[in-house]
C-alpha cells in the first residue's frame, strides 16, 4: 500500500480539498454550469462562414464587391427550373412566375432575377433555366432556407421540376452535428460500461465529462462575439471535448479504483489519483490546447476562433476532471463499483496479456519496428495525391434540393455552371465598363472557359464586374488550374496599360485560395505544434529520445490518417459504404484540424504510457521491465480510451455533412492506429532498441527544465 503522504504536492492537496469540501465543490459546479448554459445558449453569437478574409485575390475581389456593389452584400441562391415541354411553354411560364413571385415575398429576399427577363438564363436546348435570388444577409437563416426549399418542392410536379441551390442550401440541408452527438455519447457510455462493469463508475465518468463539455461549449458561444466562429466550430469543440473529457475522467477513475484495490482509504485514493493521473491529465490537456492554438500560424480568423473554442472546451473538461470528479468520488467512496454488471469490468488495471505482448516485441524489436513502420508508411502513400477544396451542391446527398439543382444546371448549362469566377475590376478615374471589352474577350477565348456574361458597372462608376463560367466543375482539378492561368497569364496581359486593377473572386476562387493557403501554411503549423509539444514532453518525461519519438510517431499517425482519408474520399475506396455520396477533394479545413487534434490526443496516450513507464523505472526496474510493466498497467485503460475516441469520432458518419464525416473518419483512423500499431508495436520496439538512451537528458537541459515531480 502506498502512503498518500508521498502525494502532498499541489495536485494532491487540490484532490484532498475537493474530497473534503465535496458539497461546496458540487454546489459551485451546479450553479456555475447552469448559469453558463442559460446565458451561453440564450445569447449565442451568430456563426460566421466567410473564409474570404485576408490578402488573397478572392478576398480583395470580395472587398471591391462590398464597397461598390452593396446590393450584392447578401448571399445568393439559385432557383433551377427543368421542363421537358420547354421553359417557354405558357403553362411552365405561368408556374415559374407564380413560384418566383412567392419567393420574392420571403423575408430577407431583395430580388429575384427571372430567366424570362434577364438574357442568358435559359439553356440552349430550352429545357432548363435558372432564376438568381438575392438576399440582404449572409448567410440566410437556415429556417428561412428550409422554408424556401419546401416551397420549391411543393411547386414541382407535372413534368416541371424546381430545385433550390447555393451555399446556404448546403448549410441548411446538411447541418453540422445533430444526432451524431447523441450517438457518440451513447457509444462512449457503452465502452466505459464494458471497461468498468459498473453503472456508477460509468455514470460518474460521463457526468464529469459532460459537465465540462457543456460549460465549455456554452462559453464558446459567448466568445463568438470576440472571436467570430464558423458553423463547424461547435461540432469540432464537442467531438474533441467528448473524446478528451471522457478519457480524462476515465484515467482518474481507473487510478482511483486501482488505489482502492491496493487497500487505500477513499480519501487517500482520491489524493493519489489526482496527484498521479491528474498530473498526466493537465500535461495531456495542455498539449491539446497548445496544439489547437498552433492554428494561429495559419492566420485565418475563423480558424483562430475554432481553435479558441476547442481549447476552452478542453480546458473546462480538464478542470472538471481534477475538481468535480474528486468531489463525486467522495460521494461514491468504496461503492464506486456499485451496480456492477456480471461478466463486465475488472477492478485491477493490469493486463498480463499486454505485458506478454510487450515481451514478445522486445525479443524481436527490429521485426516489430519494420512491420509497424511499413504498415504506417503504406497507408500514408495516398496522402501525397491529396487535393483540397470545399463541399458544394455536387457533394450533397442525392435526395437533397441542392443536388437536384446541381444536376439540372449541369445538364442544361454545363458542369462549370456551379464554379463561376467573378472578375471584378477597379476602374481608373474617368473609366467605364466599356474598357473591359478586351479583358472580357480574352477571358472568354481562354481554353477551359465556357462563356462570360456582359460587364456590369457599379452605380458609382468606380468598378465593374462580369462572370466567367469554366467548362469543368467546382471539384475538378482543372478548375483551380484555370483560375491560376487567368490570374497569372490572361488578365495581366489584357489589362496592361488600362489602369484597371482586376481581381478574380467568387466562391470557387475563394475555395481555391483557402486551399492554397492551407497547403502553404501546413508545414508551419506542423513545425510550431511539434516544437511546443516537445518542450512540454521534455518537462514531463525528462527524456530527449522519448520526446522526439513521440513527435515522429504522431507524424506517422497523421500521414496514415491523411492517406486513408484520401483513398476513401478522393479515390472512392469504400466511400459509398461510409456515406460519402461521391468522390471529391478533401475539405480544406479538415487536415488543419486533424493534425493538431491528433497530435494532442496522441500525446495524451504518450503521457499516460510513458509516465507509468517512468514510475516503474524510478522504482528500480530496468528499461525493458519498466516498458513491459508500464504497458501492462496502461494497455487496458488506453484501449478503452481509444475505443471511446474511435466510437465518438465515427459517430459523425451519421451526419449528412461531408466535411464533418471526413473530420470524424480521419481522427478515428488516426486514433485507432495510434493506440494499436504505435503504442503496442512501435513504442516497445523503439524503447527496447534505444535501451538506456531512452532516459538521456543533457545536464545543462536538466538544469533549465522545471521540476514537476
Amino acid at each position: 500500500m502506498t502512503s498518500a503522504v508521498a502525494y502532498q504536492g499541489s495536485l494532491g492537496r487540490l484532490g484532498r480539498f475537493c474530497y473534503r469540501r465535496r458539497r461546496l465543490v458540487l454546489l459551485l459546479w451546479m450553479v456555475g454550469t447552469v448559469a453558463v448554459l442559460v446565458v451561453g445558449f440564450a445569447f449565442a453569437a451568430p456563426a460566421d462562414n466567410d473564409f474570404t478574409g485576408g490578402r488573397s485575390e478572392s478576398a480583395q475581389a470580395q472587398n471591391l464587391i462590398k464597397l461598390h456593389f452593396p446590393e450584392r452584400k447578401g448571399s445568393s441562391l439559385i432557383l433551377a427550373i427543368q421542363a421537358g415541354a420547354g421553359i417557354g411553354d405558357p403553362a411552365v411560364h405561368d408556374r415559374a412566375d407564380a413560384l418566383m413571385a412567392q419567393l420574392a415575398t420571403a423575408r430577407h429576399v431583395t430580388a429575384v432575377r427571372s430567366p424570362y427577363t434577364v438574357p442568358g438564363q435559359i439553356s440552349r436546348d430550352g429545357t432548363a433555366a435558372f432564376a438568381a435570388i438575392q438576399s440582404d444577409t449572409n448567410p440566410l437563416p437556415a429556417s428561412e432556407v428550409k422554408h424556401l426549399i419546401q416551397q420549391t418542392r411543393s411547386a414541382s410536379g407535372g413534368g416541371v421540376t424546381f430545385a433550390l441551390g447555393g451555399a446556404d442550401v448546403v448549410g441548411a440541408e446538411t447541418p453540422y452535428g445533430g444526432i451524431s452527438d447523441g450517438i457518440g455519447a451513447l457509444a462512449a457510455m457503452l465502452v466505459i460500461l464494458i471497461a468498468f462493469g459498473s453503472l456508477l463508475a460509468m455514470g460518474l465518468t460521463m457526468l464529469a465529462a459532460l459537465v465540462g463539455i457543456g460549460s465549455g461549449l456554452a462559453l464558446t458561444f459567448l466568445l463568438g462575439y470576440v472571436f467570430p466562429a464558423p458553423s463547424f466550430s461547435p461540432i469540432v469543440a464537442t467531438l474533441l471535448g467528448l473524446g478528451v473529457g471522457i478519457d480524462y475522467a476515465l484515467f482518474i477513475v481507473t487510478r482511483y479504483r486501482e488505489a482502492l484495490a491496493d487497500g487505500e482509504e477513499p480519501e487517500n485514493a482520491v489524493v493519489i489519483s489526482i496527484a498521479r493521473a491528474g498530473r498526466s491529465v493537465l500535461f495531456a490537456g495542455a498539449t491539446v490546447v497548445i496544439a489547437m492554438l498552433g492554428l494561429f500560424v495559419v492566420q485565418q480568423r475563423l480558424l483562430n476562433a475554432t481553435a479558441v473554442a476547442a481549447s476552452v472546451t478542453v480546458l473546462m473538461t480538464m478542470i472538471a476532471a481534477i475538481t468535480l470528479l474528486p468531489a463525486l468520488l467522495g460521494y461514491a467512496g468504496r461503492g464506486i463499483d456499485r451496480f456492477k454488471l456480471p461478466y463486465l469490468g475488472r477492478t485491477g488495471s493490469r493486463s498480463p496479456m499486454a505485458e506478454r505482448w510487450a515481451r514478445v516485441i522486445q525479443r524481436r524489436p527490429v521485426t516489430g519496428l519494420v512491420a509497424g513502420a511499413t504498415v504506417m508508411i503504406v497507408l500514408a502513400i495516398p496522402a501525397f495525391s491529396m487535393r483540397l477544396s470545399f463541399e458544394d451542391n455536387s457533394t450533397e446527398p442525392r435526395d437533397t434540393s441542392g443536388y437536384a439543382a446541381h444536376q439540372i444546371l449541369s445538364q442544361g448549362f454545363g458542369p462549370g455552371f456551379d464554379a463561376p469566377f467573378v472578375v471584378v475590376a477597379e476602374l481608373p478615374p474617368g473609366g467605364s465598363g466599356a474598357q473591359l471589352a478586351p479583358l472580357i474577350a480574352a477571358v472568354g477565348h481562354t481554353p477551359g472557359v465556357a462563356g462570360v456574361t456582359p460587364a456590369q458597372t457599379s452605380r458609382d462608376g468606380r468598378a465593374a464586374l462580369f462572370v466567367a463560367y469554366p467548362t469543368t466543375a467546382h471539384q475538378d482539378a482543372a478548375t483551380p488550374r484555370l483560375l491560376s492561368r487567368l490570374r497569372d497569364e490572361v488578365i495581366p496581359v489584357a489589362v496592361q496599360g488600362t489602369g484597371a486593377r482586376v481581381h478574380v473572386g467568387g466562391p470557387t476562387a475563394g475555395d481555391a485560395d483557402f486551399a492554397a493557403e492551407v497547403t502553404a501554411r501546413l508545414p508551419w503549423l506542423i513545425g510550431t505544434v511539434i516544437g511546443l509539444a516537445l518542450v512540454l514532453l521534455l518537462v514531463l518525461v525528462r527524456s530527449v529520445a522519448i520526446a522526439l519519438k513521440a513527435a515522429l510517431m504522431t507524424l506517422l499517425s497523421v500521414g496514415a490518417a491523411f492517406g486513408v482519408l484520401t483513398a476513401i474520399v478522393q479515390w472512392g475506396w469504400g466511400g459509398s459504404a461510409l456515406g460519402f455520396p461521391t468522390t471529391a477533394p478533401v475539405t480544406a479545413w479538415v487536415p488543419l484540424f486533424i493534425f493538431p487534434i491528433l497530435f494532442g490526443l496522441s500525446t495524451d496516450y504518450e503521457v499516460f504510457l510513458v509516465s507509468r513507464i517512468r514510475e516503474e523505472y524510478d522504482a528500480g526496474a530496468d528499461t525493458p521491465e519498466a516498458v513491459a510493466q508500464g504497458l501492462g498497467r496502461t494497455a487496458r485503460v488506453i484501449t478503452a480510451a481509444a475505443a471511446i475516441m474511435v466510437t465518438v469520432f465515427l459517430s459523425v458518419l451519421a451526419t449528412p455533412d461531408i466535411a464533418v464525416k471526413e473530420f470524424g473518419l480521419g481522427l478515428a483512423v488516426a486514433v485507432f492506429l495510434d493506440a494499436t500499431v504505435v503504442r503496442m508495436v512501435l513504442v516497445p520496439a523503439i524503447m527496447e532498441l534505444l535501451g538506456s538512451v531512452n532516459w538521456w537528458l543533457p545536464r545543462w537541459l536538466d538544469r533549465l527544465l522545471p521540476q514537476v515531480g
Side-chain angles (χ1 to χ4, degrees), residues 39-405:
V39 175
F41 283 89
F43 301 98
D48 183 349
N49 293 312
D50 184 7
F51 283 91
T52 59
R55 297 183 298 273
S56 67
E57 274 268 337
S58 55
Q60 295 180 65
Q62 185 65 22
N63 290 336
L64 286 177
I65 292 173
K66 289 179 179 178
L67 181 62
H68 299 291
F69 297 89
E71 68 275 10
R72 289 175 172 260
K73 67 179 181 179
S75 60
S76 300
L77 299 177
I78 292 292
L79 173 65
I81 309 168
Q82 188 177 54
I87 299 298
D89 183 89
V92 175
H93 193 153
D94 291 342
R95 291 177 60 183
D97 280 345
L99 176 58
M100 287 186 287
Q102 186 179 17
L103 297 179
T105 63
R107 194 162 63 98
H108 296 298
V109 172
T110 59
V112 177
R113 290 185 284 273
S114 169
Y116 298 106
T117 58
V118 180
Q121 294 185 192
I122 299 177
S123 64
R124 291 179 180 177
D125 64 4
T127 62
F130 69 90
I133 303 172
Q134 187 66 39
S135 73
D136 61 5
T137 184
N138 187 15
L140 269 171
S143 58
E144 183 65 28
V145 176
K146 290 178 180 178
H147 178 63
L148 296 176
I149 291 173
Q150 183 58 43
Q151 288 180 317
T152 60
R153 283 179 169 166
S154 299
S156 297
V160 182
T161 302
F162 298 103
L164 206 62
D168 289 347
V169 173
V170 176
E173 291 190 307
T174 56
Y176 299 108
I179 189 174
S180 64
D181 296 340
I183 294 174
L186 290 174
M189 291 171 62
L190 180 60
V191 174
I192 298 173
L193 190 59
I194 293 173
F196 286 153
S198 162
L199 287 172
L200 183 60
M202 180 271 291
L204 294 183
T205 302
M206 289 297 301
L207 179 60
L210 292 177
V211 167
I213 295 165
S215 57
L217 200 58
L219 285 174
T220 64
F221 290 151
L222 296 177
L223 283 172
Y225 290 103
V226 181
F227 301 99
S231 300
F232 61 77
S233 182
I235 188 65
V236 171
T238 301
L239 282 177
L240 185 56
L242 272 175
V244 301
I246 296 173
D247 275 7
Y248 295 162
L250 174 69
F251 286 122
I252 290 175
V253 172
T254 298
R255 198 64 185 261
Y256 174 76
R257 295 171 77 237
E258 182 181 336
L260 288 180
D262 289 340
E264 296 286 355
E265 292 298 319
E267 181 176 338
N268 287 347
V270 167
V271 173
I272 292 170
S273 63
I274 297 301
R276 280 298 190 183
R279 183 182 71 132
S280 297
V281 164
L282 288 182
F283 269 88
T287 306
V288 175
V289 170
I290 287 174
M292 290 303 302
L293 294 181
L295 283 166
F296 274 76
V297 303
V298 181
Q299 299 179 16
Q300 218 293 337
R301 61 185 183 86
L302 297 188
L303 297 185
N304 294 347
T306 304
V308 170
S311 299
V312 168
T313 305
V314 172
L315 282 172
M316 292 305 298
T317 61
M318 289 166 53
I319 296 171
I322 62 174
T323 58
L324 175 60
L325 192 53
L328 295 174
L329 292 175
Y331 284 104
R334 291 191 176 277
I336 186 66
D337 290 323
R338 196 175 301 158
F339 310 118
K340 191 172 179 63
L341 301 181
Y343 310 113
L344 292 179
R346 297 180 183 179
T347 301
S349 62
R350 185 173 180 180
S351 172
M353 182 180 297
E355 278 192 39
R356 289 194 295 270
W357 172 257
R359 299 186 197 282
V360 169
I361 297 297
Q362 287 171 333
R363 285 195 292 270
R364 294 177 176 80
V366 175
T367 302
L369 177 60
V370 171
T374 300
V375 170
M376 303 296 280
I377 292 172
V378 168
L379 290 176
I381 289 175
F384 291 99
S385 65
M386 183 170 64
R387 293 193 297 112
L388 301 177
S389 183
F390 275 90
E391 67 268 38
D392 66 347
N393 288 137
S394 69
T395 61
E396 281 198 81
R398 296 302 183 253
D399 59 347
T400 59
S401 173
Y403 182 76

Side-chain angles (χ1 to χ4, degrees), residues 21 26 111 208 217 320 359 423 435 477 485 488 557 569 702:
R21 301 289 187 271
L26 187 58
L217 200 58
R359 299 186 197 282
V423 184
Q435 290 178 292
R485 188 161 61 251
D488 300 338
S557 298
V569 175
D702 188 34

Side-chain angles (χ1 to χ4, degrees), residues 331-526:
Y331 284 104
R334 291 191 176 277
I336 186 66
D337 290 323
R338 196 175 301 158
F339 310 118
K340 191 172 179 63
L341 301 181
Y343 310 113
L344 292 179
R346 297 180 183 179
T347 301
S349 62
R350 185 173 180 180
S351 172
M353 182 180 297
E355 278 192 39
R356 289 194 295 270
W357 172 257
R359 299 186 197 282
V360 169
I361 297 297
Q362 287 171 333
R363 285 195 292 270
R364 294 177 176 80
V366 175
T367 302
L369 177 60
V370 171
T374 300
V375 170
M376 303 296 280
I377 292 172
V378 168
L379 290 176
I381 289 175
F384 291 99
S385 65
M386 183 170 64
R387 293 193 297 112
L388 301 177
S389 183
F390 275 90
E391 67 268 38
D392 66 347
N393 288 137
S394 69
T395 61
E396 281 198 81
R398 296 302 183 253
D399 59 347
T400 59
S401 173
Y403 182 76
H406 161 75
Q407 284 290 88
I408 292 171
L409 298 174
S410 295
Q411 293 170 6
F413 297 90
F417 183 85
D418 278 348
F421 297 142
V422 181
V423 184
V424 189
E426 189 173 17
L427 301 175
S432 67
Q435 290 178 292
L436 298 184
L439 172 63
I440 295 175
V443 171
H445 289 94
T446 301
V449 174
V452 295
T453 65
Q456 176 186 348
T457 304
S458 62
R459 294 174 184 174
D460 60 10
R462 301 274 305 278
L465 63 78
F466 64 93
V467 178
Y469 293 98
T471 58
T472 51
H474 179 96
Q475 306 294 351
D476 197 306
T479 303
R481 289 199 295 267
L482 172 62
L483 174 64
S484 298
R485 188 161 61 251
L486 290 175
R487 286 173 170 173
D488 300 338
E489 302 172 14
V490 177
I491 293 176
V493 173
V495 299
Q496 189 173 10
T498 65
R501 291 194 304 148
V502 180
H503 303 286
V504 183
T508 302
D511 291 354
D513 288 344
F514 186 83
E517 190 174 4
V518 169
T519 303
R521 293 194 176 272
L522 190 57
W524 290 95
L525 171 65
I526 293 173

